[in-house]
Amino acid sequence: MIPYTHWAYFPDHASARNCADDLADYVTRLREAEGSRWLLLAGRDVETSQLEERHAQVEAIVQHHGGDYDGGEATYVGGKPVVDPMLAVDEGKPHL
């Protein structure tokens, strides 16, 4: 089990919010991104054996809402796992 955060960009707040609503089993955070786009971060613990399946599920949900899926990453701060993606983001860049 690892903490994992997915990244997605949307053309407006409404589409990002609707996508977040469909990811109810994730900790989701929205923030403005460059060029009037919106960044959606969706984090949760994931079994490593289910990682590919989760990627595909999240990507399909993001695309359904008109977003661009930008992948994901294991989320740690100072070597400790974090599920809340905002804890791992500083000025739009993840802490690795």
Side-chain angles (χ1 to χ4, degrees):
M1 186 79 79
I2 60 171
Y4 202 82
T5 299
H6 300 271
W7 294 62
Y9 293 90
F10 293 85
D12 55 62
H13 182 264
S15 58
R17 176 80 265 148
N18 290 334
C19 184
D21 291 344
D22 278 353
L23 295 169
D25 59 338
Y26 287 80
V27 175
T28 57
R29 303 293 183 212
L30 298 175
R31 61 191 275 178
E32 287 186 84
E34 293 181 26
S36 73
R37 296 186 343 158
W38 283 83
L39 170 63
L40 167 64
L41 300 169
R44 66 169 282 173
D45 288 337
V46 176
E47 290 284 345
T48 54
S49 63
Q50 298 176 348
L51 198 52
E52 285 186 43
E53 180 182 334
R54 281 292 179 172
H55 262 279
Q57 290 172 344
V58 173
E59 184 173 16
I61 292 169
V62 166
Q63 290 175 346
H64 172 76
H65 289 284
D68 295 319
Y69 183 68
D70 197 24
E73 62 193 358
T75 317
Y76 294 86
V77 173
K80 296 183 181 181
V82 293
V83 174
D84 186 338
M86 287 308 287
L87 296 176
V89 176
D90 180 22
E91 297 180 21
K93 298 176 186 161
H95 294 283
L96 301 176

